[in-house]
Amino acid sequence: DAGVIQSPRHEVTEMGQEVTLRCKPISGHDYLFWYRQTMMRGLELLIYFNNNVPIDDSGMPEDRFSAKMPNASFSTLKIQPSEPRDSAVYFCASSRDRSNEKLFFGSGTQLSVL
Amino acid sequence: GESVGLHLPTLSVQEGDNSIINCAYSNSASDYFIWYKQESGKGPQFIIDIRSNMDKRQGQRVTVLLNKTVKHLSLQIAATQPGDSAVYFCAENNAPGGYNKLIFGAGTRLAVHP
């Protein structure tokens, strides 16, 4: 298996632009998670899905952030409009099911908002 | 674990020594705990996990100890090697409603010196 695949690997954009991050979870995994990592706040859980349904989005910082999972093999995290304080590494992770909590992480997207 | 802001606690060890990384978790109802290793520029990688009905679990060169009385978790690495240099995170499954929801601590940087 190729593991969790994220794209792009790096994204540089200007303040006010829309940013879309993409994730393909491991096939057969029921759970998908979006985390954000910064030096100040560490690894923060933004949102997670179970069987494509958003379960908990309490970590999404503002209405500028939105996430979708249209099918079992694809998810997006969108920021519109982006701001410099959104600069961070965004990780997608997946896990198999309720009894297998181990997360498998992608390589992350390094986002820089200028 | 508690956030430490800009600076991660750092553990410096000599190659060949044993390392012990500590973590305090927040929710006494958490039933699953896990350690991850993160190398620079990469996503977190699974090391070892433990359920709350156990107090010790061993892997290859690693041991996790769980003390539920004081809500403390530790990771022991035997015969530490330069390749062990990384940031180590503990996480707990903090999921009301029965879903998986891993919440991560701030992390500890392990620096291995030859």
Side-chain angles (χ1 to χ4, degrees), chain A residues 40-70:
Chain A
M40 283 297 296
R41 302 171 74 93
L43 265 169
E44 300 174 276
L45 176 62
L46 301 178
I47 185 171
Y48 71 101
F49 297 81
N50 177 225
N51 292 323
N52 314 338
V53 177
I55 300 302
D56 186 344
D57 65 354
S58 59
M60 296 285 262
E62 300 171 32
D63 291 346
R64 298 184 297 107
F65 285 69
S66 62
K68 294 182 180 179
M69 192 165 185

Side-chain angles (χ1 to χ4, degrees), chain B residues 65-99:
Chain B
L65 299 178
L66 175 62
N67 185 331
K68 294 182 288 292
T69 302
V70 294
K71 292 190 289 186
H72 183 268
L73 198 64
S74 68
L75 176 70
Q76 300 178 359
I77 304 173
T80 314
Q81 302 168 0
D84 295 327
S85 294
V87 177
Y88 289 80
F89 294 95
C90 67
E92 58 183 307
N93 187 357
N94 185 355
Y99 293 102

Side-chain angles (χ1 to χ4, degrees), chain B residues 11 13 17-24 33-38 45-50 55-67 72-78 80 84 86-91 108 110:
Chain B
L11 175 66
V13 300
D17 287 352
N18 296 333
S19 303
I20 300 176
I21 301 171
N22 295 304
C23 177
F33 305 88
I34 190 167
W35 281 97
Y36 280 87
K37 171 186 180 183
Q38 187 177 25
Q45 294 177 285
F46 168 81
I47 302 174
I48 191 167
D49 56 2
I50 188 169
D55 53 20
K56 180 180 180 178
R57 191 170 187 209
Q58 288 185 287
Q60 187 178 12
R61 281 201 308 121
V62 294
T63 300
V64 56
L65 299 178
L66 175 62
N67 185 331
H72 183 268
L73 198 64
S74 68
L75 176 70
Q76 300 178 359
I77 304 173
T80 314
D84 295 327
V87 177
Y88 289 80
F89 294 95
C90 67
T108 297
L110 176 65

